[in-house]
Amino acid sequence: MDALIVLLPGDGIGPEVTREAVRVLRAVASLFGHEFRFQEAAIGGAAVDKHGEPLPAETLETCQGADAIFLGAVGGDKWNDTPPHLRPEQGLLALRRELGLFANLRPLRAIPALHDASPLRPERLQGVDFVIVRELTGGVYFGERHEGETRATDLCKYDQHEIERIARMAGEIASGRSKRITSVDKANVLATSRLWRKTVERVMADEFPAVELRHALIDSTAMNLITHPRDFDVILTENMFGDILSDEAAGVVGSLGLLPSASCGAEKPGVFEPVHGSAPDLTGKGIANPYAAILSAALLLDQGLGLQLEAEAVRNAVDSAIGDGVLPLDIVIAEDAQAYSTTETGSTVVERITAPPASTP
Ligand code: NAD
Ligand code: IPM
Ligand code: MN
């Protein structure tokens, strides 16, 4: 396959983890005989510094011509005083909106070799495997904003069709898994949540009758995710609740350095991005965990380019490395164990990627 992959390394540890994801993608290309062309473009604070805006027109255009997009991270204290509409984060939000990426999939699995990295007892982690389906282009992130000296407002808005399409996406995903959806809202208070609940219920009843739907409130779900993480399979929720629950989910397994994500819409290209941010506390130290980025590259391969075997090869290499204790500082368990650097971790994954055995005629 010949594919153009646009790279948006961004800020902080973004470029450090993107580098490892690209090494992995190059290794996959050479092993499986693909031609991946990489083109880098500026986004976030790096783009503000270079072009005066967080999503330059040139970057958007480059992205629109891509087969898939990989994003590192954006943001950092350096841009705290930039006018609100020019903040690095606005570049990412504008990219999601411009490309119509209304769904953000954040899969999470507790890995037995990492049970000790989690603050939870191992028996609570046994079998934890769920995916957060986060609505990505609506809600309070994209409503009208007013920022005065003494009063500020952020409008939370959802249209029925925005809820329908993300509910449908969750229905399809649940149909291929255990057919259970927990839809999370705040319907006891918010009008948008009541519309959410009603719409999700109708879409499921009409289009996915075999899927079991459960509604839950965001506050108690935040607790249940920690006390009973195994009870979840597909978590469907709106933009901001999904943002918060996914970092919490990262805490369940031990670190943000492990969580990948895929942002997709009705058409290609999708954006594949770790859930974590630019981690200013780690920047430039060479110790950031690249597994979230590498697993996002695996999502790019199967969800973005339809390359299932290749994605599986990457996930197997990651599992094998983690199983053998190749752990960066954030998930290192034993106090006397050696922590692997970002590059050492990436190199181990690259070394362990193997093509599947040739099929016999
Ligand atoms: P963060 O995700 O950058 O970091 C939170 C904590 O997790 C920190 O302690 C950090 O060291 C740790 N962490 C994150 N990624 C890690 C990794 N790969 N390996 C090891 N540890 C890791 O969140 P924050 O500190 O709240 O935000 C910092 C900046 O990142 C802000 O400007 C924020 O807007 C931005 N941000 C960007 C994205 C994105 O680009 N998708 C996502 C979240 C936050
Ligand atoms: C994420 C990030 C972004 C979000 C920020 C950087 C705009 O936290 O991708 O989870 O809130 O969506
Ligand atoms: Mn987030």
Side-chain angles (χ1 to χ4, degrees):
M1 167 186 281
D2 186 343
L4 173 64
I5 300 173
V6 169
L7 304 173
L8 306 173
D11 310 316
I13 61 166
E16 300 172 34
V17 297
T18 300
R19 201 171 302 130
E20 302 312 316
V22 171
R23 290 173 68 208
V24 164
L25 289 170
R26 284 193 199 283
V28 166
S30 96
L31 254 173
F32 288 79
H34 300 302
E35 175 91 21
F36 291 162
R37 286 166 294 121
F38 295 96
Q39 188 173 349
E40 202 170 305
I43 196 166
V48 171
D49 291 351
K50 207 165 152 206
H51 305 280
E53 48 184 344
L55 181 67
E58 192 185 317
T59 295
L60 179 59
E61 217 168 282
T62 305
C63 287
Q64 280 160 339
D67 292 298
I69 300 160
F70 183 93
L71 180 131
V74 297
D77 290 343
K78 181 178 172 195
W79 300 280
N80 280 351
D81 296 326
T82 334
H85 67 288
L86 291 178
R87 283 187 65 109
E89 291 83 354
Q90 288 303 317
L92 177 54
L93 297 181
L95 182 72
R96 291 170 178 170
R97 191 188 50 234
E98 292 297 327
L99 296 179
L101 307 173
F102 65 84
N104 182 227
L105 315 179
R106 301 185 155 182
L108 177 144
R109 204 165 35 98
I111 304 170
L114 287 182
H115 279 182
D116 288 346
S118 164
L120 301 191
R121 284 202 298 274
E123 60 269 27
R124 297 212 172 185
L125 289 164
Q126 214 63 258
V128 167
D129 179 353
F130 57 81
V131 56
I132 297 176
V133 179
R134 171 191 179 195
E135 201 290 327
L136 202 60
T137 49
V140 73
Y141 275 63
F142 291 92
E144 210 173 287
R145 235 180 274 296
H146 170 74
E147 211 158 344
E149 273 307 313
T150 57
R151 171 175 293 171
T153 57
D154 300 278
L155 181 71
C156 183
K157 182 180 80 61
Y158 266 110
D159 284 337
Q160 182 177 273
H161 78 93
E162 296 176 304
I163 305 170
E164 281 168 357
R165 62 187 181 184
I166 190 73
R168 220 162 263 141
M169 173 89 77
E172 275 154 22
I173 291 169
S175 301
R177 295 177 55 109
S178 74
K179 300 192 173 55
R180 280 187 297 124
I181 294 182
T182 307
S183 174
V184 180
D185 59 38
K186 185 76 184 172
N188 52 348
V189 177
L190 302 177
T192 42
S193 280
R194 287 189 283 270
L195 180 66
W196 180 277
R197 203 173 264 219
K198 199 168 66 179
T199 308
V200 169
E201 206 150 291
R202 178 172 44 75
V203 170
M204 291 305 146
D206 290 354
E207 301 176 35
F208 303 93
V211 170
E212 179 198 324
L213 173 66
R214 175 166 69 141
H215 297 288
L217 296 171
I218 177 65
D219 44 359
S220 59
T221 303
M223 179 194 69
N224 286 327
L225 205 59
I226 289 177
T227 53
H228 299 87
R230 208 178 13 245
D231 286 359
F232 296 92
D233 188 55
V234 174
I235 299 176
L236 164 63
T237 192
E238 60 107 85
N239 204 343
M240 188 155 81
F241 297 158
D243 180 45
I244 298 168
L245 280 186
S246 40
D247 277 32
E248 190 192 345
V252 167
V253 286
S255 176
L256 265 171
L258 294 166
L259 253 67
S261 90
S263 304
C264 29
E267 285 160 32
K268 297 214 148 30
V271 173
F272 301 86
E273 42 179 330
V275 169
H276 65 72
S278 57
D281 49 333
L282 306 181
T283 303
K285 298 183 177 161
I287 56 173
N289 185 339
Y291 283 132
I294 292 170
L295 291 169
S296 300
L299 286 172
L300 182 152
L301 289 166
D302 58 4
Q303 310 258 339
L305 302 177
L307 302 172
Q308 314 296 339
L309 288 178
E310 289 79 345
E312 217 38 55
V314 172
R315 292 190 188 107
N316 288 341
V318 168
D319 283 351
S320 146
I322 290 178
D324 285 345
V326 178
L327 307 178
L329 194 59
D330 56 317
I331 48 174
V332 111
I333 299 155
E335 275 181 15
D336 55 348
Q338 175 211 353
Y340 284 72
S341 72
T342 310
T343 313
E344 287 166 344
T345 307
S347 299
T348 310
V349 175
V350 166
E351 281 159 20
R352 291 177 185 220
I353 295 174
T354 48
S359 56
T360 41

